[in-house]
Each structure stands twice: as C-alpha cells, then as structure tokens.
Amino acid sequence: MRNLLILFFIFFFYWSFSQEPAPKTPRVGLVLSGGGAKGLAHVGVLKTLDSLGVRVDYVAGTSMGAVVGGLYASGYTGKQIDSIISATNFDLLISDDVPRKSKTFYERKNAEKYALSLPFNNFKIHLPSSISRGQNVFNLLSKLTLNVSAIENFSKLPIPFYCIATNMQTGQEVVLERGNLAQAIAASSALPTLYQPVRLDNKVLMDGGIVNNYPVRGLESKNLDIIIGVDVQDELLEIKDLESVSNILMQINNFREVKDMTGKVDLTDVYIKPDVSDYSIVSFKNGIKIIQKGQIAALPHAEALKKIAKAQNFIKIQPSISNFDEIKINNISISGLKKYTSSYVKGKLRFRSGETISFDDFSKGVNNLVATNNFDSFLYKFLPTNQGYNFSAKVEEAKNTTFIKFGVHYDQLYKSAALINLTKKQLLLKNDVLSLDIILGDNTRYNFDYYIDKGFYWSVGFNSKYIGFNNLTDPAGLINEDVYPEIDKIQMNFREFTHQFFVETLIKKDLAIKIGVELKDLKITTNDNAFLTVFDTPEYKFEDGGFYSIFGSLKIDTIDNKFFPTSGFLFEGDFKLYVASSDLRSDFNEFSIVKSQISKAFKIADKLSMNIGVEGGFKVGNSDSKALHFGLGGYGVNYFNNYSTFYGYDYFSLNGNSFVKIDSTIDYEFINKHHFNFSANFANIGDDIFLNNKWIDSPSYGGYSVGYGLETIFGPIELKYNWSSESNNSVFFVNVGYCF
C-alpha cells in the first residue's frame, strides 16, 4: 500500500510539472484623445474593434474622448454610438438654444428682439464666461447614461473608465473615477469659451485637454497587457500655413500638445492616428466623414488587432440598454437655492413627485427652468429605486442681474435702427424685471417695461413706448380718396405714445390672458406741399390727442419659430373699448375694436413646411378716427395699432373699419438656415364689410411674394419681391435683423 501511494505522488507531480501553463488572456486598455469634432473618429475605431472581436478592459478619455469613451464604457457599441451621433443636431446641441415653446412669453420676446446680451455690473460691461451653458449636452448625456446612473464607482461600469478634467483654480489635472458619469463627462469636455465650467466637489472644472489630452499614463496601474490609443490631436503646422492669426494661435497650442506627447506613443502598443487635418474642433456637420476617417486609420492595424482578439477568444455580450422613453420620478430634491424657492424650481420643471413622464417632457421641463435665465447651472442626477428614480439637482443661481443688450434692424418704414437695452432683474422684488429699450437711427423710439412675474398667478406689468417716423406713404388710411383723388402720396409725420397697465395670467404655459387699461397719445401730421395746397394750411393735423381704453386679450402660441415656422399653432384675440378721447373732436362716442388671428404651421416634407393663417377685425360704434382703422400693406416691421402685413402692397395702402385676410406661405430650407419661400394673401377690407356681407365675397385684393431668408445671430435677413394681382405694381421689401 505504501509503495502504491509513493508511485501515485510521483506520477502526480510529474504530470503537473510536465504540463505547459495555460496562456494568459491579454487585458486591453483603450485611450482616446481630445479633439472636439475630430474626436468623432474614435467612433470609427470602436466600430472596427467591435467587428474584429477585440475586448476592451479599461477606457480612458479626455474631452471628446471622454464623451465617446464614457458611452462605450456604459455599454454602447461603436455602431450604436454612430447611430446616436447621426441622430444628433449638433447646431442645437452646441448653441444651447432653448426651444421657443419652453420659453415664457416674456423670454420669447427677448429672444426675438436682441442679438447680443452682456452682463453689466458696477457700470462695466462684462464678457460672458462662455457661449453656451452646455445644458443641452448635459441633458443628452444624462439620458444616454441613465442605465448606469446607480454606479458611482466608474471601475464598476460594464467597462471600467476614467476621464480627465482641469482644475481651473490650480491648473492641475483632475482624474474623474467616481461620481455621476454624465457630470464627469460634461466636466471633461467643457471646451473653454464654448461651454461654461462645471462645478463638482467644490472644484471648477473644464476641458481635460488643457492639461492632459492623451491620458495614457493613468492606464499603467490598471493591470493591462496591451494599450490601444487613438490620437486626433493636431500636428505642428508647416511654414506655409503660418500666415494667419488663427493658425499661429493654433500652432502655439500645438507646441504644448506635441511636447506633452513625448514618451506617450511609446506606452501605446497599437497607436492609431486618423487623418483629420481637414477638419476643425467644431466640424460636427462632417461627422459621418470623420467617423469614416477613424475606420480608415484602423485598417493598417487590422492584423495586430485580430491577433489580440484571437488571444482573448472573446465573444461580447451586449448589455441591454433601454430607450428610457418614460421615467418615474419618486422624490425631488433641489440644493443650492438662495434667492429662489424649491417650489419655484419645481413649478418651472412642471413635474411632480410620484409622476411618470416621458423623457421628452422631462427635457422640456429642464428647458423651462433654463429659459428663465435665472440660473447659470443646473446639474442633476437620477438615483434608481425599486420603482423609478429619485431626482437630485444642484443649481447655481445667476450672479448677474443687470444686462446690456443690443440689436440692429432695417426696413423701409423705420429705416436703419440700432437698439440698446438695459435690463435689471430683481430691482424691487425677487421676480420682477425692468427693461428699457432706446432705439437710435433714422427714427428714434423707446420702449419701457416693468413686469412682476408670478407665473401661473396674476402677474402685473406696466409698458410705455414711443413710436415715430416720417415716411412717404399712401394716404388711404387718412383721407377719403374719392374726395381727393389727386393726392397719390403724402409725407406722413407719425408720433405715438402708448402707456399700458395690465395684469396677466398663464392658464397653461402657451396660453395667456391679459386685461388692462391704456392711454394712447396720437399725433399724425403732414407738411407735404401737394397736400397743403389742397387744404391751404402750413401743417395739417389728421390726429392730435389721446384715446383712453380698456382692453383684454387671449393668446395661444405653440409656434416653434416666429420667422420661419415649421410646426405649431397661434391664436391671438384682442378687444379694446375706447371710453374717452382728448382729440380734436368734441362729439366723441364710445367705440370698440375686435380683432383676431389664427395660424397653423406644419411640415409637408423634410425641409419643406407650410404656414396658413386667417386674420380679421371690425369696429363697433361710430368714430371718425381713421388712424385707428385697420390697415394692410408692407412687410418686415414691428407693426403698431391695427396694421398688418399684406404682400403686394406698400405700407398703409389698404384701409377700412373692418377686414378679413387669408395668407399662406410655403418655405423650403434648401441649406441649413437658408430659406426660399413663396407667399400669397387675399383680403376684403373696407367699411362695415361684415354688416353688408362683403367679407364673404370674392377677395377684392390679392398679392404674392417670392423671397429668400437667412437666419443669423442678428435676426433674419429677408429679401422679398411682391406684386399685386389688381394693380400690376411690384414692391421690393428688405428686412434685416429682429424687429423692434
């Protein structure tokens, strides 16, 4: 027995030591550099790695490398990230453009009037910290990483991950390995001047590319055998390219990046360098081509990658990632509030605890809050529970409450104009706004607003404005052409002060009711020689006095774009009761004016949309004041009183105490922000057309327009050629900038 045991142990040890050790499965690390839009090439490399079966065991990234790498680490494939990029509108994402529907009526007015807004404190103009808050980017990242929102240690992600940010106070590198993944990625990719810094853990963080744009050295401690690196950084420019200021500044930055790369390539076993020299950091519109550049750059390394995949013998099991079309929010907590209350924030977000909402509605709620411009930052995270998520947000209230705003405009009525605005928030109350427009140019004007915003309660406002212009115009709205047929044009001198006090409430976000009182001081004169010859007077006054009225209005507005609408509905209904007058007439009688407008915008096809509208109004009671009658004609101005656009006719050409108009516009956005459109409108206008049923007759007037429009930061630039079906006359209108 003893001999048998000895033989057994001899055989066991001999067998054990005679076997070759099992081959080690190589662990692979992946490092992705920063580079803005050029970093989209990372996606092409990831698609190649996936197709060859390479398993990545650790991901490190900076800036755009952090964005792509973070999504890959959270479970997305290269192909899925490609699909996400293809479906993303980077213009909207980068601009942080809050949808018009998410803005209050007050904020919509601001967005459609001012081209530039700058902080103004202690009588000094300050530059903003960034072009964009980065809120749209963060919203998208939060949605895409919701499946891993419970993971605070990034080493526990489907693929372990870290990214690099820069501490803007110390200039030191910050390695982000814990926390909320969306917040970490946002901090690492906060490109200076484009996005504002991200505040995390009492640090002010920005783009990690400032200090470490190729974070390979951090992978040395991660027990890896092979490191694959993708580098989209710029090379040093040639002498022939150093002829512009921008290229010289780029070269200065390249010096640092090239120096920082010393020794890093040697740490990279498979070094992939896509040729993205033809693109800039903001070339997102070329995303498909840049992704292809990544695939092309990976091809020469295919054999090496295949060997790695073979040694790993890995079959990737794709984790399930939900679309998160709906999300249940259990509890809501808001921190960082000083001036505003938690109920105010929750009211703007427009979702409640225990409510299940679509992620689109959630994003709209965030946009509602951001659109107030009362907060510089709104970072949040979702914490999973057994049923749904707890929502935790940290806000940073806006420090600046005073702003200087600017705008420019040209049209053929007001002519050239420059707008300077002073806006002061929280002057007397936490929720009040004071705004003063001074308009300088060919015709000086002003507009003053004071508004106490109580949201869905009754808000209080006061408005005072002055309009003045001198214009050679059709006298149809002022005199009887049958009596004075020889007067074709007159030089109109128009001056008007309007003062309103009103209360306003929102039934829903897009529905507002307003009631108030108004004083309108109106003066219309002429010094036109042809006119004075007829009346034998040095100056003739058409109007000179005040009108006192009580008014009410109802407005529903879901239009997505005021100037080039593609969707939405608009209804405006106005009623004014004129109760007194201080004008030249001694026999004033009360009268009222009712008018309404309805329009609907919709898409016919991609890039092709249509807008159809109906407008009408009438006067009730007797009044000799033709200046308050309805007038049609012209285009491209901020109309006043009861005047409206009408294609084919010059300003104020058509007049009456009642009218009905129908119009339609077909718009084709043939290039992004470039529009070609065709419009047609028809109208019946005159005295008492609703009493004598003339409003249902065939249209008495018609006009057409073909035009080109361009969306710019200063507002639309529009060129329109108009003609009339009755007069055979044509009119050319030019509109530049927002109307004010």
Side-chain angles (χ1 to χ4, degrees):
M1 184 67 179
R2 181 180 177 184
N3 290 335
L4 288 173
L5 289 173
I6 292 172
L7 288 172
F8 173 79
F9 280 111
I10 292 173
F11 175 79
F12 176 80
F13 281 108
Y14 175 80
W15 179 84
S16 298
F17 285 104
S18 66
Q19 302 301 308
E20 293 183 4
K24 181 182 178 182
T25 301
R27 284 174 49 82
V28 176
L30 176 66
V31 56
L32 305 176
S33 80
K38 293 182 289 185
L40 297 178
H42 297 321
V43 181
V45 175
L46 294 181
K47 291 172 69 176
T48 302
L49 295 181
D50 291 343
S51 66
L52 297 177
V54 176
R55 183 193 70 222
V56 175
D57 299 287
Y58 224 111
V59 181
T62 295
S63 194
M64 182 57 75
V67 176
V68 176
L71 293 178
Y72 195 65
S74 64
Y76 292 92
T77 65
K79 187 176 181 179
Q80 287 172 326
I81 300 173
D82 188 353
S83 298
I84 292 169
I85 290 169
S86 299
T88 299
N89 187 329
F90 283 96
D91 286 340
L92 292 178
L93 199 68
I94 295 173
S95 67
D96 230 8
D97 185 25
V98 177
R100 186 175 184 271
K101 295 179 183 179
S102 295
K103 299 173 182 175
T104 64
F105 284 113
Y106 181 82
E107 293 295 341
R108 291 177 194 180
K109 183 177 70 172
N110 279 349
E112 294 157 359
K113 182 190 294 188
Y114 308 115
L116 178 65
S117 177
L118 297 173
F120 184 71
N121 292 317
N122 298 320
F123 298 95
K124 294 181 179 179
I125 296 177
H126 302 266
L127 294 177
S129 62
S130 62
I131 297 173
S132 169
R133 282 180 292 234
Q135 190 66 53
N136 284 344
V137 173
F138 180 72
N139 290 347
L140 179 60
L141 290 173
S142 296
K143 179 181 180 180
L144 295 175
T145 59
L146 194 58
N147 63 301
V148 294
S149 60
I151 301 174
E152 293 194 352
N153 185 344
F154 298 166
S155 66
K156 304 298 183 182
L157 291 169
I159 302 176
F161 169 76
Y162 70 81
C163 60
I164 305 298
T166 303
N167 188 324
M168 295 304 294
Q169 184 178 4
T170 65
Q172 295 179 337
E173 173 184 320
V174 178
V175 181
L176 300 173
E177 297 181 286
R178 302 183 65 87
N180 177 265
L181 182 60
Q183 293 179 7
I185 296 172
S188 179
S189 59
L191 189 68
T193 70
L194 181 59
Y195 297 122
Q196 68 180 22
V198 176
R199 296 180 182 270
L200 291 178
D201 301 326
N202 296 318
K203 297 184 181 71
V204 180
L205 304 179
M206 292 204 75
D207 195 318
I210 300 172
V211 291
N212 187 356
N213 210 29
Y214 188 80
V216 66
R217 290 196 168 92
L219 292 175
E220 293 177 302
S221 62
K222 305 302 181 183
N223 191 29
L224 302 169
D225 302 294
I226 299 170
I227 293 178
I228 300 171
V230 188
D231 183 9
V232 295
Q233 300 175 96
D234 292 321
E235 301 284 355
L236 292 177
L237 300 175
E238 301 291 336
I239 294 178
K240 62 182 178 63
D241 298 321
L242 298 175
E243 296 179 352
S244 66
V245 173
S246 60
N247 281 359
I248 291 175
L249 292 174
M250 184 185 299
Q251 185 80 330
I252 294 172
N253 182 67
N254 292 346
F255 288 149
R256 181 193 59 80
E257 290 186 348
V258 170
K259 183 179 180 180
D260 187 61
M261 285 297 294
T262 302
K264 289 186 175 182
V265 177
D266 295 335
L267 299 175
T268 309
D269 299 288
V270 181
Y271 181 71
I272 302 173
K273 182 73 174 176
D275 181 10
V276 289
S277 57
D278 293 336
Y279 307 100
S280 72
I281 60 174
V282 292
S283 298
F284 291 99
K285 64 181 180 181
N286 301 116
I288 295 175
K289 294 180 179 178
I290 296 174
I291 291 173
Q292 292 173 345
K293 289 288 186 179
Q295 291 177 289
I296 293 170
L299 287 178
H301 305 276
E303 291 302 318
L305 296 173
K306 287 178 182 178
K307 289 180 180 180
I308 296 171
K310 185 177 180 181
Q312 292 180 313
N313 193 25
F314 170 68
I315 299 176
K316 187 171 184 177
I317 301 175
Q318 182 60 30
S320 177
I321 301 178
S322 303
N323 291 326
F324 296 107
D325 293 328
E326 289 187 339
I327 183 170
K328 183 181 181 183
I329 299 176
N330 296 319
N331 297 310
I332 302 173
S333 63
I334 311 293
S335 63
L337 293 170
K338 296 178 182 178
K339 300 175 184 176
Y340 300 95
T341 64
S342 177
S343 58
Y344 173 83
V345 174
K346 293 177 182 179
K348 293 297 183 181
L349 292 173
R350 299 187 68 189
F351 55 80
R352 298 180 177 87
S353 299
E355 187 177 0
T356 299
I357 62 172
S358 70
F359 208 93
D360 286 341
D361 286 340
F362 167 79
S363 297
K364 290 177 183 177
V366 174
N367 286 332
N368 293 341
L369 181 68
V370 173
T372 65
N373 287 318
N374 293 328
F375 302 93
D376 289 334
S377 174
F378 184 69
L379 293 178
Y380 56 84
K381 56 185 177 182
F382 296 98
L383 303 174
T385 64
N386 292 332
Q387 292 184 341
Y389 294 84
N390 290 334
F391 177 80
S392 175
K394 184 176 182 179
V395 303
E396 183 181 348
E397 297 176 342
K399 298 179 182 64
N400 297 308
T401 60
T402 307
F403 300 88
I404 289 283
K405 303 178 182 181
F406 304 92
V408 293
H409 181 75
Y410 173 82
D411 60 58
Q412 282 124 302
L413 181 62
Y414 295 123
K415 308 300 181 183
S416 300
L419 167 64
I420 302 175
N421 168 272
L422 175 66
T423 295
K424 173 63 179 177
K425 294 186 175 183
Q426 301 171 12
L427 177 67
L428 303 174
L429 304 170
K430 289 182 178 181
N431 54 343
D432 70 354
V433 182
L434 181 147
S435 175
L436 175 63
D437 292 336
I438 301 296
I439 302 164
L440 306 174
D442 292 313
N443 296 284
T444 302
R445 292 168 281 152
Y446 82 82
N447 185 74
F448 173 83
D449 283 297
Y450 180 73
Y451 191 69
I452 303 173
D453 186 1
K454 294 187 176 182
F456 294 98
Y457 300 99
W458 284 99
S459 301
V460 181
F462 173 77
N463 171 261
S464 176
K465 63 182 178 182
Y466 166 75
I467 297 173
F469 61 85
N470 303 303
N471 193 65
L472 187 66
T473 186
D474 193 308
L478 300 171
I479 65 174
N480 190 324
E481 293 181 290
D482 294 331
V483 178
Y484 306 103
E486 67 275 22
I487 300 178
D488 182 51
K489 294 283 185 178
I490 64 169
Q491 188 67 36
M492 180 195 296
N493 305 318
F494 187 97
R495 304 290 183 269
E496 179 184 283
F497 288 92
T498 302
H499 314 288
Q500 290 184 343
F501 176 80
F502 61 89
V503 293
E504 181 180 49
T505 187
L506 298 177
I507 305 293
K508 292 185 178 180
K509 182 168 183 59
D510 299 311
L511 193 159
I513 296 176
K514 180 191 291 186
I515 56 176
V517 294
E518 177 186 275
L519 166 63
K520 185 181 295 294
D521 189 42
L522 184 60
K523 185 177 183 179
I524 305 175
T525 65
T526 185
N527 298 102
D528 191 283
N529 289 330
F531 192 88
L532 299 181
T533 300
V534 175
F535 290 93
D536 191 24
T537 179
E539 181 185 67
Y540 188 86
K541 296 179 180 179
F542 299 100
E543 293 286 352
D544 189 10
F547 293 88
Y548 304 87
S549 65
I550 302 169
F551 69 88
S553 67
L554 173 66
K555 185 174 184 178
I556 304 172
D557 184 1
T558 64
I559 295 293
D560 63 338
N561 186 310
K562 178 181 178 181
F563 306 101
F564 305 100
T566 62
S567 66
F569 174 80
L570 173 67
F571 171 81
E572 290 187 86
D574 295 277
F575 171 81
K576 283 188 178 180
L577 173 63
Y578 291 87
V579 296
S581 172
S582 62
D583 63 9
L584 298 176
R585 291 171 294 276
S586 60
D587 57 344
F588 175 83
N589 295 312
E590 288 187 0
F591 68 96
S592 58
I593 291 179
V594 180
K595 61 180 179 180
S596 65
Q597 175 186 0
I598 302 174
S599 64
K600 172 68 176 177
F602 54 92
K603 278 196 171 186
I604 302 174
D606 187 38
K607 303 290 187 180
L608 186 66
S609 59
M610 188 171 188
N611 187 43
I612 299 176
V614 179
E615 188 176 355
F618 58 90
K619 184 189 73 171
V620 180
N622 296 317
S623 172
D624 295 330
S625 177
K626 300 191 71 174
L628 294 177
H629 281 190
F630 299 98
L632 299 178
Y635 178 80
V637 302
N638 187 23
Y639 275 107
F640 50 92
N641 295 336
N642 299 310
Y643 297 105
S644 299
T645 291
F646 196 75
Y647 301 112
Y649 287 82
D650 207 348
Y651 300 105
F652 320 122
S653 295
L654 307 177
N655 186 271
N657 68 13
S658 52
F659 85 106
V660 61
K661 180 186 80 169
I662 184 170
D663 62 81
S664 65
T665 297
I666 295 177
D667 184 275
Y668 176 56
E669 189 176 9
F670 59 96
I671 302 175
N672 186 36
K673 299 186 183 299
H674 293 261
H675 300 259
F676 174 79
N677 43 59
F678 171 79
S679 303
N681 52 203
F682 305 94
N684 280 324
I685 185 169
D687 290 339
D688 304 321
I689 67 169
F690 291 97
L691 294 178
N692 53 35
N693 291 326
K694 289 185 178 180
W695 70 279
I696 59 175
D697 292 345
S698 298
S700 301
Y701 304 97
Y704 308 89
S705 172
V706 292
Y708 162 80
L710 172 64
E711 299 178 68
T712 76
I713 61 172
F714 303 104
I717 298 175
E718 297 179 279
L719 308 174
K720 288 187 176 289
Y721 176 75
N722 297 247
W723 70 96
S724 167
S725 55
E726 294 82 37
S727 64
N728 293 321
N729 293 329
S730 60
V731 187
F732 192 80
F733 292 117
V734 178
N735 177 51
V736 179
Y738 295 122
C739 294
F740 45 76

